[in-house]
Amino acid sequence: MSVRLTVAQALVRFLAAQHTERDGVRQRLITATWGIFGHGNVAGIGQALVEYPDLMPYHQGRNEQAMVHAAVGYARQSNRLRAHAVTTSIGPGATNLVTGAALATVNRLPVLLLPGDTFATRPADPVLQQLEVPYAGEMSVNDCLRPVSRYFDRVTRPEALVPAALAAVRVLTDPADTGAVTLALPQDVQAEAYDWPEEFLAERTWTVRRPRPDEAELDAAVQAIRTARRPMIIAGGGVRYSAAQDALNALARSAGLPVATTQAGKGVLPWDHPCDVGGIGHTGTQTADALARTSDLIIGVGTRLTDFTTASGTLFRPDTRLVNLNITAFDAHKQAALPLVADARAGLEALTEALGGHRQDTVRWESSKREWQERTDAAYAAPDPRARPTQVQVLGVLDTLVDGSDILINAAGSLPGDLHKLWRARSGDQYHVEYGYSCMGYEIPAAIGVALAALGRPVWALVGDGTYLMNPTEIVTAVQERLPIKLVILQNHGYASIGGLSEAVGAERFGTDYRHRDAFGGFTGPPLPVDLGANAASLGMRVLRPRTVRDLREALAAARTATVPTCVYVETETPDTVSGPPPAQAWWDVPVAETSTRPSAVKAREEYDRHVTARRRHL
């Protein structure tokens, strides 16, 4: 039996019938579609969504990149078991997807991209917004999505949708292979009718696997742990996506192992867990980084060991051995580690069982952890409630108001460093910092996606002024969807993070201030008269304007209980005159000009040459 539908109608019905199942829990895979319509998708996917509103909920976006960010936020909050689709027109609508797709793929988070494409039959050539490539007639701007997609296909015939759609869902549901999946859809093919097999449209369940480790790899990992004198665990996002928190807790407690966390892994153990030693790497805690410097075995669990987040190229000792438990062989073999290719939960459970109660005679870390919490308290403290708060003091006030139900979202600027060092995560999904791609403009749309996945929970988007200016438009979507996200804008009139880095490498904060330019290309005078709070209000948000620490406490408390999208707009004090966050605890390799006539650059190069000797490859 067959059903006659257009390609777009068949695709919508197919997607509505796909489900995931893990640990006996079955749920729908694609729960909604985001879309901005143009001539490349309005008559195809747009018409199909109108045809089947009961099968596929629709969310109206304002920026194509932001729609992908919202979908990624939803997928992360859903532990990669649910996802959203995103449809755009051809041309700029499609190319605007590239950054969001890169973020999804870098972070191994599933999102389905459905960009319109130029005519397959070429009745008009070139069509509006078509890129003409003299040496390749079949190429379009959608080919920009190939390197940032885990799977890419262009559906140029109706019957080609069947294998393409099945392959797309296979990748979306594969925890070792997931990321952005792109099905480019020529606009004429979208509207073409075809007789579809009923089996293609029937409900289908995709099992999300939990592969167990190979026995030989497990034996090697166990031997390495048993013979190590100072082992430690670095837990990444894979622990969270595998729902392996309990398994991590069991191994850490039974074997007496300290657990440091990456940006993606922070919160997999609560901050007051006896084995939690905080963030690792350049933005890590003194406790975690000191342990890493003396550790003879690093056990990575669900981490890609990126240089900034873990300082894996400079922090560990030259003779440190690594064991990498990861569901992807690509990541498990990094840094010449002993690979343990497995699902995080299955692998942790296997390690705990195989160790048979073995416990390390490790140096304890309670005193160091207590000292770090005292430093955190000092940074959070605001002795004068009538003063304007610093950025860190804003976090300190928020820390006193939240509980485990709150979710904090951030991605770029100086906030990720402050949060990774200082934030006290109270639940496994409270801390949501996207630092695999560290994309400015992620926070507001991601907060919308998270709010859709975690209805009723307080969701905070924390942004600096630079990040806000990158992508504020989805505020309108939050207002339209009646999602009471809480937006905190920290106005410090410039790029604080890159400004500090610029100063450290001898570039003298060039191009990082929001001030008028002088005749010599520098910056002078007071900050620009920019009112981002007024901008947020113009987009439909309720805006609160605290001026002091006392005002801030009242404003954040009001925002937390608000039932409408609410912005807290804070002019922050620079940390130059008050206690700021503790400095970086590990070095990050950013090359400095090898020769210069400017004293700042010469001094920065001398400092670079002093540190670069610590750089190493683990072979």
Side-chain angles (χ1 to χ4, degrees):
M1 297 291 291
S2 62
V3 181
R4 191 161 183 82
L5 303 167
T6 68
V7 168
Q9 292 165 358
L11 179 57
V12 168
R13 285 187 54 174
F14 169 83
L15 293 176
Q18 306 307 301
H19 296 78
T20 62
E21 184 174 9
R22 188 175 71 177
D23 304 329
V25 178
R26 182 176 182 266
Q27 52 193 319
R28 180 166 159 173
L29 173 61
I30 304 296
T31 62
T33 294
W34 290 86
I36 296 176
F37 295 106
H39 69 95
N41 65 341
V42 66
I45 296 292
Q47 190 282 326
L49 291 172
V50 172
E51 189 88 10
Y52 302 115
D54 54 329
L55 292 181
M56 183 62 68
Y58 165 70
H59 300 301
Q60 182 179 356
R62 270 74 195 174
N63 174 280
E64 291 86 358
Q65 181 188 135
M67 292 194 298
V68 185
H69 292 337
V72 167
Y74 181 88
R76 172 169 170 163
Q77 187 63 31
S78 303
N79 283 344
R80 305 194 298 199
L81 298 173
R82 299 182 298 172
H84 281 165
V86 177
T87 180
T88 72
S89 186
I90 64 175
T95 52
N96 280 351
L97 295 172
V98 173
T99 297
L103 182 147
T105 295
V106 164
N107 286 284
R108 316 289 206 269
L109 291 166
V111 59
L112 177 61
L113 308 180
L114 305 173
D117 213 327
T118 53
F119 284 98
T121 54
R122 306 187 190 180
D125 193 25
V127 72
L128 176 64
Q129 299 178 318
Q130 179 177 340
L131 172 71
E132 294 184 273
V133 182
Y135 60 84
E138 85 288 356
M139 190 174 292
S140 80
V141 296
N142 284 334
D143 289 278
C144 294
L145 288 160
R146 288 182 183 271
V148 293
S149 297
R150 296 296 289 175
Y151 178 81
F152 179 98
D153 203 350
R154 179 175 283 113
V155 182
T156 57
R157 294 276 304 170
E159 57 268 35
L161 178 65
V162 174
L166 290 169
V169 176
R170 174 190 60 79
V171 174
L172 288 170
T173 57
D174 186 340
D177 201 34
T178 195
V181 169
T182 300
L183 295 181
L185 302 171
Q187 58 178 312
D188 52 344
V189 176
Q190 288 181 49
E192 190 173 343
Y194 184 74
D195 294 323
W196 303 93
E198 286 188 344
E199 295 83 359
F200 176 63
L201 306 175
E203 290 206 352
R204 192 182 301 261
T205 300
W206 301 75
T207 299
V208 179
R209 300 185 300 275
R210 287 196 181 278
R212 290 183 55 81
D214 175 81
E215 289 299 325
E217 290 185 351
L218 179 61
D219 289 344
V222 168
Q223 179 65 16
I225 295 172
R226 285 183 177 275
T227 57
R229 296 182 60 192
R230 292 177 300 279
M232 69 179 295
I233 295 173
I234 296 179
V239 176
R240 173 178 174 172
Y241 304 140
S242 176
Q245 291 92 333
D246 289 344
L248 176 64
N249 169 57
L251 175 62
R253 284 183 180 274
S254 66
L257 298 173
V259 177
T261 52
T262 68
Q263 287 280 13
K266 187 175 174 74
V268 293
L269 295 181
W271 73 275
D272 55 355
H273 188 285
C275 294
D276 178 76
V277 294
I280 190 75
H282 184 69
T283 56
T285 68
Q286 182 176 348
T287 307
D289 285 357
L291 286 168
R293 287 189 183 93
T294 60
S295 177
D296 59 349
L297 179 68
I298 302 292
I299 306 163
V301 185
T303 173
R304 296 184 295 124
L305 293 174
T306 57
D307 71 322
F308 189 94
T309 300
T310 64
S312 57
T314 55
L315 183 60
F316 310 150
R317 291 174 10 183
D319 60 344
T320 297
R321 302 179 68 193
L322 286 88
V323 170
N324 281 350
L325 166 56
N326 203 290
I327 199 166
T328 70
F330 175 78
D331 290 318
H333 282 84
K334 285 179 177 174
Q335 298 284 5
L338 291 173
L340 190 60
V341 181
D343 167 76
R345 194 178 85 179
L348 287 167
E349 290 172 345
L351 278 173
T352 303
E353 181 180 358
L355 284 168
H358 170 78
R359 187 172 180 82
Q360 300 299 138
D361 182 19
T362 57
V363 176
R364 307 310 297 171
W365 52 87
E366 290 90 343
S367 176
S368 175
K369 181 176 177 179
R370 183 168 55 253
E371 290 173 3
W372 186 260
Q373 291 307 320
E374 291 171 355
R375 296 185 72 179
T376 299
D377 290 337
Y380 278 174
D384 185 359
R386 298 166 298 179
R388 190 163 66 177
T390 66
Q391 175 171 287
V392 170
Q393 288 169 351
V394 173
L395 299 181
V397 174
L398 188 59
D399 177 76
T400 67
L401 296 172
V402 302
D403 60 31
S405 67
D406 294 72
I407 302 170
L408 273 65
I409 300 171
N410 184 242
S414 56
L415 272 166
D418 293 347
L419 287 163
H420 197 210
K421 291 177 190 175
L422 305 175
W423 186 257
R424 294 160 172 159
R426 292 156 171 81
S427 64
D429 63 354
Q430 178 175 86
Y431 189 87
H432 183 131
V433 174
E434 185 286 299
Y435 219 64
Y437 208 50
S438 187
C439 186
M440 296 177 73
Y442 171 82
E443 294 90 342
I444 296 173
I448 293 171
V450 170
L452 290 170
L455 293 173
R457 294 178 62 179
V459 178
W460 301 84
L462 309 180
V463 302
D465 50 308
T467 292
Y468 178 85
L469 287 169
M470 287 282 183
N471 197 6
T473 53
E474 296 312 309
I475 287 174
V476 179
T477 304
V479 172
Q480 183 179 40
E481 299 272 354
R482 297 185 177 90
L483 293 171
I485 63 171
K486 296 88 174 62
L487 171 63
V488 180
I489 303 176
L490 301 170
Q491 172 62 280
N492 55 23
H493 301 286
Y495 299 121
S497 176
I498 204 67
L501 178 61
S502 173
E503 189 171 48
V505 299
E508 303 176 27
R509 293 184 177 265
F510 178 76
T512 63
D513 282 345
Y514 290 164
R515 300 175 188 272
H516 292 289
R517 300 291 295 273
D518 61 26
F520 302 99
F523 300 90
T524 185
L528 298 176
V530 175
D531 189 341
L532 302 183
N535 179 262
S538 75
L539 297 177
M541 282 199 117
R542 174 194 180 195
V543 177
L544 306 175
R545 294 173 174 269
R547 299 189 180 279
T548 67
V549 174
R550 181 185 292 117
D551 297 340
L552 176 65
R553 185 176 303 278
E554 295 174 358
L556 291 175
R560 187 173 186 271
T561 58
T563 58
V564 297
T566 301
C567 169
V568 179
Y569 182 58
V570 188
E571 290 263 1
T572 60
E573 182 64 78
T574 63
D576 298 334
T577 57
V578 296
S579 176
Q585 303 299 306
W587 183 67
W588 183 39
D589 188 346
V590 178
V592 177
E594 194 167 0
T595 182
S596 175
T597 60
R598 301 184 69 85
S600 62
V602 172
K603 182 179 179 181
R605 181 66 195 196
E606 292 173 353
E607 185 71 7
Y608 178 81
D609 288 338
R610 184 174 70 85
H611 281 290
V612 78
T613 57
R615 187 175 57 200
R616 63 185 65 92
R617 292 185 184 276
H618 293 273
L619 300 172

